[in-house]
Amino acid sequence: MLNLRPCTLTWLVLVSLTLMALAIGQAGLAGWGILALLLVSTFVKTWLVAEYFMGLRRVALRWRLIMAAYLVLVLSGIALAWWLAARAAA
Amino acid sequence: MIWIFIYAELLVFGILFLAYAFARSRNVVLFNASQLELNRTAGAVNTLVLITSSYFVVRAVAAIRADRAEACARWLLAAVGLGGVFVVVKLSEFAAKSAAGIGLSTNTFYMFYWSMTFFHFMHVLLGMVILLAVWWKARQGAYSASEHTGVETGASYWHMVDLVWIILFPLVYVMR
C-alpha cells in the first residue's frame, strides 16, 4: 500500500485532471456534459490547491468561505455565459 | 495581510474570466475558431509545470517547518526552475502568434487571449522574483522552524499564480 503525503496525492490528482482536460481539448469534445465535467474538475483542482497547497484548511473559516464563494461565482458565471450563448444560437 | 492581497488579485482575474465568457457568448463562432489556433499542448504543459512547481513550494514549506533550511532552499530553486520553463514555453507561444501576425487587435478573442495570458505571465515573473528572494534568504539561514513567515507568504503568492492558470487553461484553451 502506497503511503503518499497528502500534497503528493493532491499533485497526482491535479496532473490527472489536467491530462483529462488536454485529452478533451485535443479530441475537440464539446456539449453540456463536457462543459460540466471541465467546470467541476476545475473547481476540484482549484479547491485542492487552495486547501492543500495554500494551506487554507489551516486558516480562519472566513478565508475558506471567501475562496469557495469566489470559485462558485466565477465558474457558475462561466456556465451562465455558455448557457446564454446556446440560447442566443437556438 | 497576504490573504487580502491574494483575494484582490483573484478578484481582478475573476472579472477578466467572466468578461471573456460573456464576450464569447456574443461571438461564439469567432471564439471557437480562434481557440482552435491555440497550442493546447503548450497550455497543458504549462499547467503541469505550474502544478509541479507549486508542489515543490509545498515541499519547501514542509522542509522549513522541519528546520531543514537547505532542503527548503533546494525545493524553492527547483520551483523557480520550473517557473523558468513556464516562461520559455509561454514566450515561444507568444512568438509563434506574433510571427503569424496575430496580436491584441486581431479580434476580440485574441484581445482577451493576449491580455489575460500576458497579465498572468507578469505575475509568474513577479512570483519567480519573490521565490528567488525567499530562496536567497533561506540559503542565508534567515528562516527556521519557528520563524518562516517569508517562506509561507512567498509560497501563497506562487500558489495563487498556479490557481489562476488552472482556471485560465480550460477556459481559454479547451472549453467550447
Side-chain angles (χ1 to χ4, degrees):
Chain A
M1 182 74 181
L2 278 175
N3 187 18
L4 296 174
R5 297 163 185 257
C7 63
T8 305
L9 194 58
T10 299
W11 176 76
L12 286 171
V13 173
L14 294 172
V15 167
S16 304
L17 292 176
T18 300
L19 292 175
M20 180 194 77
L22 174 63
I24 287 172
Q26 295 297 61
L29 299 179
W32 290 111
I34 295 297
L35 180 68
L37 185 62
L38 287 169
L39 288 173
V40 169
S41 73
T42 301
F43 179 84
V44 169
K45 286 165 76 179
T46 47
W47 188 247
L48 285 174
V49 167
E51 288 280 289
Y52 292 95
F53 282 10
M54 292 173 111
L56 209 61
R57 63 195 167 129
R58 286 191 296 270
V59 301
L61 180 65
R62 68 174 179 276
W63 297 116
R64 301 176 81 185
L65 290 177
I66 292 172
M67 179 62 81
Y70 170 81
L71 294 174
V72 168
L73 274 175
V74 169
L75 297 176
S76 59
I78 291 169
L80 173 66
W82 251 252
W83 177 76
L84 287 174
R87 199 180 67 158
Chain B
M1 183 62 196
I2 183 65
W3 290 106
I4 293 173
F5 180 71
I6 284 174
Y7 283 126
E9 292 273 23
L10 286 177
L11 182 64
V12 173
F13 276 105
I15 290 168
L16 281 172
F17 294 151
L18 291 176
Y20 169 91
F22 283 95
R24 178 194 174 275
S25 69
R26 296 175 176 213
N27 303 276
V28 175
V29 174
L30 171 75
F31 272 59
N32 283 351
S34 300
Q35 187 190 60
L36 286 177
E37 297 167 356
L38 297 184
N39 186 340
R40 269 184 303 279
T41 305
V45 166
N46 264 348
T47 310
L48 296 174
V49 163
L50 276 190
I51 284 169
T52 306
S53 180
S54 254
Y55 171 72
F56 287 172
V57 168
V58 172
R59 299 300 299 267
V61 172
I64 199 62
R65 281 183 184 149
D67 225 0
R68 295 167 52 229
E70 281 186 23
C72 171
R74 278 198 301 274
W75 283 113
L76 286 171
L77 196 58
V80 173
L82 283 181
V85 173
F86 180 96
V87 168
V88 169
V89 172
K90 202 82 208 94
L91 284 177
S92 70
E93 222 185 315
F94 285 152
K97 287 282 163 280
S98 288
I102 295 171
L104 200 63
S105 56
T106 298
N107 62 37
T108 311
F109 173 85
Y110 279 111
M111 189 268 287
F112 278 104
Y113 167 80
W114 280 102
S115 303
M116 292 196 298
T117 57
F118 189 75
F119 189 46
H120 178 267
F121 180 79
M122 297 307 289
H123 282 75
V124 171
L125 293 182
L126 177 60
M128 288 173 67
V129 170
I130 290 170
L131 288 184
L132 275 175
V134 175
W135 165 76
W136 182 255
K137 287 189 73 175
R139 272 176 53 94
Q140 304 299 311
Y143 303 118
S144 64
S146 56
E147 174 42 47
H148 53 268
T149 309
V151 181
E152 294 202 339
T153 302
S156 295
Y157 183 85
W158 192 247
H159 297 317
M160 184 272 292
V161 171
D162 179 26
L163 190 148
V164 166
W165 185 261
I166 285 175
I167 301 174
L168 197 156
F169 167 63
L171 177 64
V172 176
Y173 289 76
V174 180
M175 288 179 194
R176 44 193 300 106

